[in-house]
Amino acid sequence: MQISDLPYPDPGVPDARSGPRFLWWLGRGQLGGQLKSLAWGVLHHVGIAGLPFVVGTGVEAAVDRDGGRLVLVGALLVVCGIAISLGDTMLHRTAVTNWITAAARVQQLLARKTAQLGAALTRQVAAGEVVAVSTGDVEKIGWFVEAVSRFLAAAVAVVVLCVGLLVYAPALGVVIAIGVPVLALAVLPLLPRATKRADAQREKAGRATELASDTVAGLRVLRGIGGEELFLGRYREASQEVRAAAVHSARMWAVIAAIQVVLPGLLLVTVVWYGASLVRDGRIAVGELVTVFSAVAVMNYPLRHFEEIAMAYSFSRPSAKRAARVLSLTRTDAEAAAAGSGTEAGAAAATAVGSAADVLVLPDGPQLPEGDLYDPATGVLAPAGDLTAVVCGDPDLAGRLAARLGGHPAEAAGDPSVLLGGAALDELPLAAARTCVLVQDKDPVLLSGTLRELLDVPGARHVPAADALAAAQCGDVLDALLQSAPDGVTDPMDARITERGRSLSGGQRQRLALARSLVADPQVLVLDEPTSAVDSHTEARIADGVARLRAGRTTVVLASSPLLLDRADRVVLVHEGRAAAVGTHRELLAGDRRYRAVVTRETDEEQRLAEPSDPHVPDGRGREELTGIEESA
């Protein structure tokens, strides 16, 4: 894999059981690149390791006044220079390639996991941690992956030097063979403490990143209540803690670096002292002493890679652990076990809906289920082609129900899957489930870019952007975007939207998100409080526009606004986690106190005076329809 070939056609299935296993999986995935880097590294380091022997031979040739040997030494120096230069150039090229490709693979895996989990990702892991993994952590992981081959090449060079010295000058070679392993292993006792300090630094940095992200995201609210200085003060404190932890960690790494300088220096002094005594006694020649001295001096370079690999692993291990934690998340707790197999609860719920799964054949090939949307856990039924409104007294329950209707993870293990035309949504492939059902959260996110890019929804069908914008009542939003656009932009579709749409009001962001959902034109559209931030007049027009544009398509709106409820074909009241009444808005308003309490915000006293009948028995069509559903289930 070359940098020009990125991104990977398929980044693969990672081993996310632990951080070290994930690093091992990445290394195995780049075996070809690692071997290339190792080969060029060996050439580079062996060229450096050969210099002391060539220089020693040259000194001996000069002492012996042997011109032929001096010419040979000159040729060997040229060969070593070529090996060093070529090896260094290609080693750097392959090492950087390994680094970038490893980081790119991790980023692709994270992007794929984010797309798979959707909004469920931030419910399982903090947003700041995801940001830290996808930015700083991928760099550290890539660093370790590429450092492995350079470390192995340096280790080969050290072994070659030690063996060569044992053969060339046994008396001094024994000292080198004993001293070098001591140098290489001297820092090992300090690594656990250095790693612990580095982990503490990264943990504090992660908290500071989360705090900064939360502060920036809520800056408008903070300014409204005068709390920005309070949160900025908290961030200053967190950043100072990160600085102190970084200094604390750097001190330990400085000690390790100092040991890597002091011990080779002591070994060099020992070699010179002992070698000088051997030369004086006539046991070795001057050229041999020069060779050994040069070899010990040169050996400092490959030995530094031992320190680097230790540092790279210490920094990358917690980063790989965090990445593995994110990559091990699943859509459901039993996703692997449920793949390709049905459940008894799903079969029973299919019978309750009353039909086997029909299929919809799309132009691009896959067959998708089509029919009524039914949630066995709550009893909510949305008939195909109707606009169904769901009323929940608890906003949190409404959000969880919207997620369930979209096939997102169940709140409790063992909950039956939501069915579309009798087919379990969480047993469908992710792409198929997202094609069938689109869920718009109550707090949708707008990505930065032009409005044209925002509405360029992959897989969109037949709804023009202009019609979707009109149905979502985005006329004033288009004017605002055009006014804030640079000179020369005359089409609001070319106006840019800032990050998360922060330059727009909450209602404007909500309407643009609704227009994006309408453009997507999914088989089933689930809207969670789509008009909570707009005024009543605009809300009424949006209700008419959505009903008109989604005619004949299944739409579920979770809301308590009478303006939306009155446009629905049917309304379902969810009380204490179950569908308690079904009917039109006017029927339920007249016949069910619980529904009226949620929609009109009546107090207990007002309810008692208005309706003395049993509050647990809904009237009219709602009771008959609900009874029919319960009997069929």
Side-chain angles (χ1 to χ4, degrees):
M1 172 62 72
Q2 298 296 321
I3 296 177
S4 59
D5 298 327
L6 294 175
Y8 284 91
D10 180 9
V13 180
D15 186 348
R17 289 175 291 177
S18 66
R21 288 178 182 272
F22 181 58
L23 290 174
W24 174 249
W25 177 83
L26 280 176
R28 286 191 295 109
Q30 295 183 201
L31 189 58
Q34 295 283 13
L35 292 177
K36 289 180 182 178
S37 184
L38 176 60
W40 290 116
V42 168
L43 177 64
H44 172 64
H45 285 288
V46 170
I48 294 175
L51 287 176
F53 297 96
V54 176
V55 171
T57 302
V59 170
E60 291 181 359
V63 171
D64 297 339
R65 299 181 182 275
D66 189 341
R69 289 170 60 191
L70 284 176
V71 172
L72 177 62
V73 166
L76 290 176
L77 285 175
V78 171
V79 172
C80 288
I82 293 174
I84 293 171
S85 300
L86 179 62
D88 187 34
T89 301
M90 298 306 297
L91 172 62
H92 179 74
R93 181 184 180 90
T94 55
V96 170
T97 300
N98 289 337
W99 188 335
I100 293 178
T101 51
R105 185 192 292 269
V106 177
Q107 286 182 326
Q108 279 188 252
L109 291 170
L110 291 170
R112 185 175 68 183
K113 179 60 65 173
T114 301
Q116 289 175 348
L117 296 179
L121 175 63
T122 52
R123 290 197 291 268
Q124 301 184 57
V125 65
E129 183 171 350
V130 177
V131 173
V133 171
S134 60
T135 54
D137 284 340
V138 296
E139 293 292 329
K140 296 181 178 67
I141 292 171
W143 175 28
F144 173 75
V145 170
E146 69 86 12
V148 169
S149 56
R150 291 191 292 110
F151 161 72
L152 293 176
V156 170
V158 170
V159 172
V160 168
L161 271 173
C162 291
V163 172
L165 291 175
L166 280 173
V167 175
Y168 182 76
L172 286 176
V174 172
V175 177
I176 304 301
I178 295 174
V180 168
V182 174
L183 296 181
L185 302 177
V187 298
L188 287 182
L190 299 178
L191 288 180
R193 184 177 298 180
T195 301
K196 184 177 180 180
R197 293 186 180 186
D199 289 346
Q201 174 196 347
R202 283 187 289 272
E203 183 180 353
K204 292 180 182 297
R207 288 201 296 266
T209 301
E210 290 182 25
L211 182 59
S213 178
D214 291 342
T215 302
V216 172
L219 193 57
R220 177 177 294 187
V221 177
L222 292 175
R223 284 176 176 171
I225 62 176
E228 65 268 26
E229 284 301 324
L230 174 63
F231 273 77
L232 289 175
R234 291 179 181 176
Y235 179 73
R236 292 189 190 99
E237 293 177 3
S239 63
Q240 289 303 311
E241 291 180 1
V242 174
R243 181 193 61 80
V247 172
H248 193 56
S249 175
R251 286 173 180 166
M252 182 55 65
W253 289 110
V255 171
I256 293 175
I259 291 175
Q260 293 291 311
V261 173
V262 171
L263 291 184
L266 293 177
L267 178 61
L268 189 61
V269 170
T270 302
V271 168
V272 172
W273 174 78
Y274 182 55
S277 65
L278 293 178
V279 171
R280 188 173 57 250
D281 295 340
R283 297 170 59 185
I284 63 173
V286 175
E288 291 177 328
L289 177 59
V290 172
T291 298
V292 176
F293 173 82
S294 302
V296 174
V298 165
M299 201 175 294
N300 284 333
Y301 174 61
L303 283 176
R304 290 178 184 173
H305 289 77
F306 288 72
E307 175 193 354
E308 183 188 5
I309 195 64
M311 184 180 294
Y313 180 72
S314 298
F315 277 86
S316 65
R317 184 181 56 82
S319 296
K321 181 180 178 180
R322 283 197 294 265
R325 177 170 176 258
V326 174
L327 294 175
S328 63
L329 300 175
T330 57
R331 291 173 59 199
T332 62
D333 294 337
E335 186 180 47
S341 64
T343 61
E344 294 181 2
T351 303
V353 173
S355 66
D358 299 323
V359 296
L360 173 66
V361 181
L362 296 181
D364 53 356
Q367 292 185 329
L368 302 177
E370 184 181 46
D372 298 343
L373 184 69
Y374 178 67
D375 179 19
T378 60
V380 172
L381 173 67
D386 284 356
L387 173 58
T388 302
V390 179
V391 177
C392 299
D394 182 2
D396 292 334
L397 174 60
R400 294 194 297 269
L401 178 57
R404 278 189 52 79
L405 293 176
H408 290 284
E411 290 294 319
D415 280 356
S417 171
V418 171
L419 305 175
L420 179 61
L425 276 182
D426 61 7
E427 294 181 8
L428 293 176
L430 180 64
R434 293 294 173 268
T435 301
C436 292
V437 184
L438 173 64
V439 179
Q440 178 180 307
D441 295 331
K442 65 180 65 178
D443 186 21
V445 175
L446 300 181
L447 302 179
S448 59
T450 65
L451 181 58
R452 192 183 309 279
E453 294 170 341
L454 176 71
L455 299 180
D456 185 16
V457 180
R461 298 181 183 178
H462 311 296
V463 176
D467 293 348
L469 291 168
Q473 299 298 308
C474 294
D476 63 314
V477 184
L478 300 180
D479 294 338
L481 289 174
L482 198 56
Q483 290 176 3
S484 61
D487 294 339
V489 177
T490 58
D491 188 348
M493 297 295 291
D494 296 324
R496 292 196 64 82
I497 300 172
T498 57
E499 180 188 3
R500 299 177 67 91
R502 290 196 174 100
S503 62
L504 303 173
S505 68
Q508 290 173 328
R509 289 196 300 270
Q510 204 171 53
R511 281 177 281 163
L512 282 181
L514 176 59
R516 178 178 59 188
S517 299
L518 293 174
V519 166
D521 193 27
Q523 181 187 158
V524 179
L525 177 60
V526 180
L527 303 173
D528 185 10
E529 295 287 355
T531 58
S532 58
V534 302
D535 61 83
S536 57
H537 296 288
T538 304
E539 185 177 35
R541 293 194 294 270
I542 290 175
D544 291 334
V546 170
R548 181 179 63 258
L549 201 60
R550 292 287 300 173
R553 312 285 286 170
T554 307
T555 308
V556 180
V557 181
L558 290 96
S560 59
S561 167
L563 294 172
L564 286 175
L565 299 174
D566 196 38
R567 269 70 171 183
D569 297 315
R570 70 198 304 268
V571 180
V572 180
L573 171 66
V574 176
H575 180 70
E576 296 181 353
R578 293 291 302 176
V582 180
T584 65
H585 166 64
R586 298 179 186 274
E587 290 171 349
L588 294 178
L589 194 64
D592 195 291
R593 283 197 304 168
R594 294 163 300 181
Y595 179 83
R596 188 164 55 247
V598 175
V599 173
T600 64
R601 279 71 169 178
E602 285 184 346
T603 64
D604 293 340
E605 180 65 19
E606 290 172 334
Q607 292 183 45
R608 186 183 64 82
L609 295 175
E611 185 63 60
S613 61
D614 184 358
H616 299 291
V617 180
D619 296 330
R621 172 189 162 192
R623 176 171 55 192
E624 296 171 358
E625 192 165 346
L626 185 62
T627 301
I629 294 176
E630 292 174 345
E631 289 176 352
S632 63

